[in-house]
Amino acid sequence: MKKNIKLFLTSILITLLMMGCYKDKGNYEYQDPNVVNIAVDLDQVDRNVFITADSIDLNQNDSLKVKLKLSQTIGTASGFDYQWMVTQAEASIGNPGQFVIGNTEELKTKITLGPNLYRLVVQLKDKKTGVSLYKHFAMNVSAAPWGNEGWLILQEEAASNASDLSVITTRDGAQKGKVYHNVYSAFNQHKLPKGTYKVNVVNYATPMRIQKVSFFYPNGGLEVRSTDFADSAKAENWYVAKPGIINFQLNSAAGVAAGGWEYLINNHQISYRQVSAVSIKLPPLYFNPPFFGSFSLSPFVINSSNSDGYFTLYDQANHCFLMLRADNGTFVPSLPDVPNKHFANYTGTAANLHPTTGSGFDLNNMKHNLIYAENVEPLSTSNGYWNTFFRNNNSDSTYLVQFPRGIAYLNNFKTGRYFLKESSCPGINTASLFACPTYLPLPGGAFYYVNKNSVYTCKVNTLSGSSAAPGLTFPAGTLIKVMKIFKSGYVPASFPSTEGKVLVIATDESASGGGHKVYFFNLNSTGDIIGSAANPADLYTGFEKITDVAFKKALGR
C-alpha cells in the first residue's frame, strides 16, 4: 500500500515538473522590453552649436546637423521611424507655424525660425511595437549677424539695374563691424525693385520682440522680416483696399510705448494701425484707410513714446499744424477741420510774431513750407523737444522752430523761432540734408546741415544770432547722399553711452576716384564734430551708389 502511494506521488511530481518546463506556444510571445538610451553623437555634430549634449545655440539661417547615438537591449537605429519637431519653450511663446523639420534618422536642415527660445524634439517610433520615445533639446535661435544690430545700407546696383541691401554690424563705429553685402537677395533670390529709395526700421513695444523693415520704391513698397529680410508683405496687402495712388513718404512708430501705433504717410495722407501683443495675434493687420481732411501733409510725424498715438502733423497746403489722435481718429482739440483753425487763436502779442525781432510762432499760421523735422531729445523723453525747419517758396529765407511736443497746445509760444541768415549760416537756404543730436542743452543746442561737399555745424542762438561753420569737408566733387545721427531706438535702460552723439554720413566720391563710403564721426560735449574726412572715427568702403541709411537695433532691448 505504501509502495503504491509512493509511486502515485512520484508520478504527480514528475507531471508537475514536466508542466513547469512546458513553453506556451499560443498566439503571443513574451519579450523583454526594449530599453533605449537616446543621446547625441558629439563626435558627429558641430561643437560650436551644441553647447552641451542637450542644448543648442545657433543663429537664424544656420545649418543644423544632429546625429543620434542609441544604446538599446535589442534592435538597431533602423528599427525606428523618426520625426524632428520644433515646439515652444514656454507658454508665453507660441508654436512656430511649421514645426516638423525632418523625418530621417539624422537631421540635416537650415533653421529659418525667428530669434527666440525653442525646444527641438525628436520622436522615435518603434516599427514593431508602435511605441514612441522622445528626446528633447533646448534650442536658442539668435539673429544672424546681419539681422541683429547694425546699419542698413540701401544701394543701387549698376550691373543688375536694381537695388539691394548691405549691413554694417557696428553700432556707433566704436568697434569695427563686418560688412555683409546683398543680404536681401541672398535670402529672397531676387533683387529689390529698381529705384528703391528708402529703407525704414519700425520698432514696436520692446517686450513684444517685434520689429519690421520696409522699403519704398516707385509706385510700391515692401515689408520684410527684420531678422533675415525675408519678403513678408507687398504694399497692396498693407491695406484692405489698395490706394489709387502709391507715393510712400514715411513709415515709422514711436517705438517703445505699449500703444504701438505705427503710421504711414502715402501721397500726403496718413494711415495708421495698432501693433500690440493682442492685435499681432489676429492677422491680417491692416492700415486703416487714409485719414482725409482739408490738409495735404508734409512727410513728418512729431511724436514721442509716452503718448505715441498723438500725432502732431503739418499741413503743407495751408501752412499750419494740426494734431490727430490715432486711438479714436479725432482732432485735438476736437474742432472742425477748418484750415488754419485747428488750434485756438494765438494768444501772444503781434510783437512776438515779428519776422526778425520776435521769436514766437502761431501753430495756425506758419506761413512757410516745412522742409525737415527731427527730435532733439530721445523719443522716450516725455513730450521732448523737436526741431522743425521752414523755408519760403523763393528759397531765400530759412528758419528753425524748436518746441516741446505735446498732447495739447495752448498756441501761445513766445519763444522757439530762430531766423537762420545766409550770411552767418552759409548755404542754409539750399540745404536739403539736416541732422539733430539729442544730448545738448535745450532750447538751443546745435544741428548739422549739408552745403555742397561740406557738413556745417550750426550753433543755435536767439533771434538771428545762430551761426554755422564747416565741421567736415570732403574731396571736391563729393556728393553727400545721407546724413544721420545715431539714435538707437533702445529703451532708456539700454541706451548706449554714444546715444545721439555719433554722426553717420554716406558719400559718393566717384568724381575723385574714392567710390562710395560710409563714415562715422563722434561729437564732443558742445556739438562739434571730432576728426576730419581723412580721419574719421570709422570708415567703410566698397559700396555701390548709396540711396539711404538706417540703424536697426537688436530685438528685445
Side-chain angles (χ1 to χ4, degrees):
M1 181 69 176
K2 290 181 179 180
K3 184 177 179 180
N4 290 335
I5 293 174
K6 186 176 181 179
L7 289 173
F8 177 72
L9 292 174
T10 300
S11 64
I12 291 176
L13 179 62
I14 292 172
T15 300
L16 292 172
L17 289 172
M18 291 179 66
M19 289 176 65
C21 295
Y22 176 77
K23 187 171 184 179
D24 187 350
K25 295 183 179 180
N27 294 329
Y28 52 89
E29 61 183 38
Y30 295 104
Q31 183 172 325
D32 290 335
N34 186 10
V35 180
V36 182
N37 180 33
I38 308 170
V40 171
D41 188 345
L42 292 176
D43 294 330
Q44 301 295 321
V45 297
D46 185 348
R47 293 308 306 272
N48 293 319
V49 171
F50 274 84
I51 307 305
T52 69
D54 299 320
S55 61
I56 299 167
D57 187 13
L58 75 172
N59 291 328
Q60 188 183 33
N61 297 316
D62 280 354
S63 295
L64 175 62
K65 175 184 174 183
V66 185
K67 185 173 179 60
L68 299 177
K69 182 165 58 177
L70 306 184
S71 174
Q72 52 187 29
T73 56
I74 60 172
T76 62
S78 60
F80 297 92
D81 290 321
Y82 296 82
Q83 188 171 66
W84 297 83
M85 298 163 284
V86 177
T87 67
Q88 64 191 54
E90 54 188 61
S92 61
I93 302 174
N95 278 318
Q98 184 176 0
F99 59 90
V100 177
I101 60 173
N103 55 13
T104 57
E105 176 185 337
E106 181 178 359
L107 177 66
K108 292 181 179 180
T109 188
K110 178 183 283 190
I111 299 298
T112 60
L113 298 164
N116 223 322
L117 297 174
Y118 302 93
R119 288 190 186 279
L120 175 66
V121 183
V122 58
Q123 177 193 37
L124 289 74
K125 186 175 182 179
D126 193 305
K127 293 180 179 179
K128 290 184 178 180
T129 66
V131 174
S132 291
L133 305 165
Y134 297 87
K135 170 70 176 176
H136 296 247
F137 303 88
M139 185 169 72
N140 178 54
V141 179
S142 300
W146 58 89
N148 199 358
E149 178 186 78
W151 287 86
L152 311 185
I153 314 299
L154 179 63
Q155 302 158 83
E156 291 182 6
E157 296 182 344
S160 66
N161 195 30
S163 298
D164 214 321
L165 190 70
S166 295
V167 176
I168 306 174
T169 58
T170 188
R171 169 183 289 181
D172 49 21
Q175 293 185 341
K176 194 68 178 179
K178 185 175 180 179
V179 180
Y180 293 89
H181 289 292
N182 302 321
V183 295
Y184 174 82
S185 61
F187 192 94
N188 296 289
Q189 301 302 304
H190 61 84
K191 297 287 186 180
L192 288 162
K194 179 182 178 179
T196 301
Y197 55 87
K198 190 167 182 58
V199 55
N200 311 282
V201 177
V202 183
N203 297 310
Y204 306 112
T206 301
M208 292 172 59
R209 295 179 60 86
I210 299 175
Q211 181 186 58
K212 86 166 190 183
V213 174
S214 64
F215 298 96
F216 295 164
Y217 48 83
N219 303 312
L222 177 67
E223 179 182 322
V224 300
R225 198 162 58 184
S226 69
T227 53
D228 55 13
F229 309 105
D231 286 344
S232 176
K234 289 189 175 181
E236 49 264 35
N237 298 316
W238 295 359
Y239 298 88
V240 175
K242 180 182 175 182
I245 298 175
I246 291 184
N247 173 27
F248 290 133
Q249 298 160 295
L250 179 69
N251 182 205
S252 190
V256 298
W261 291 102
E262 177 189 353
Y263 45 84
L264 179 69
I265 293 184
N266 173 52
N267 201 39
H268 307 291
Q269 298 170 337
I270 190 167
S271 296
Y272 42 86
R273 63 180 179 179
Q274 188 174 29
V275 182
S276 65
V278 175
S279 67
I280 199 68
K281 296 177 181 179
L282 302 170
L285 186 57
Y286 295 118
F287 284 98
N288 71 303
F291 193 94
F292 290 104
S294 65
F295 43 82
S296 177
L297 300 178
S298 290
F300 306 101
V301 174
I302 298 171
N303 60 11
S304 68
S305 64
N306 68 310
S307 49
D308 64 344
Y310 285 72
F311 304 151
T312 300
L313 307 165
Y314 189 73
D315 178 1
Q316 64 180 7
N318 300 292
H319 295 152
C320 62
F321 281 101
L322 61 141
M323 180 181 283
L324 182 65
R325 280 184 61 175
D327 59 342
N328 59 15
T330 62
F331 292 107
V332 181
S334 298
L335 299 174
D337 177 21
V338 178
N340 307 107
K341 294 289 185 180
H342 285 283
F343 298 99
N345 291 333
Y346 182 70
T347 57
T349 66
N352 293 330
L353 301 180
H354 190 278
T356 57
T357 60
S359 57
F361 56 96
D362 178 0
L363 294 173
N364 288 327
N365 296 282
M366 299 302 294
K367 301 187 184 307
H368 295 142
N369 304 312
L370 177 64
I371 59 172
Y372 188 72
E374 185 177 356
N375 59 302
V376 283
E377 288 186 299
L379 285 177
S380 55
T381 304
S382 179
N383 295 328
Y385 273 89
W386 279 69
N387 277 354
T388 56
F389 296 86
F390 292 84
R391 185 175 292 153
N392 65 356
N393 289 331
N394 295 329
S395 295
D396 58 12
S397 177
T398 304
Y399 62 95
L400 164 68
V401 169
Q402 188 174 78
F403 67 99
R405 176 266 190 194
I407 59 173
Y409 300 106
L410 297 177
N411 198 22
N412 61 352
F413 291 101
K414 300 178 181 179
T415 60
R417 179 167 52 89
Y418 306 86
F419 180 53
L420 306 174
K421 296 192 301 183
E422 182 77 24
S423 59
S424 53
C425 302
I428 191 65
N429 289 331
T430 56
S432 58
L433 295 178
F434 298 84
C436 302
T438 58
Y439 66 97
L440 297 174
L442 297 168
F447 65 89
Y448 312 95
Y449 68 92
V450 172
N451 177 18
K452 298 180 181 178
N453 61 322
S454 294
V455 175
Y456 279 69
T457 303
C458 182
K459 300 297 179 67
V460 179
N461 289 302
T462 57
L463 297 177
S464 60
S466 301
S467 61
L472 294 168
T473 298
F474 295 90
T478 295
L479 300 176
I480 300 175
K481 304 290 290 185
V482 185
M483 182 171 63
K484 298 282 181 74
I485 292 287
F486 168 53
K487 297 178 179 179
S488 67
Y490 291 128
V491 296
S494 299
F495 270 171
S497 61
T498 53
E499 177 77 17
K501 301 177 182 178
V502 176
L503 186 66
V504 181
I505 297 174
T507 63
D508 177 353
E509 300 177 35
S510 53
S512 59
H516 304 273
K517 302 178 180 180
V518 177
Y519 294 83
F520 289 75
F521 297 95
N522 294 320
L523 306 174
N524 70 13
S525 60
T526 60
D528 292 310
I529 301 170
I530 301 173
S532 65
N535 185 32
D538 203 4
L539 173 63
Y540 298 86
T541 61
F543 300 99
E544 296 201 48
K545 185 178 179 181
I546 298 173
T547 308
D548 197 16
V549 169
F551 179 76
K552 189 176 80 66
K553 71 169 188 173
L555 287 175
R557 294 179 60 189

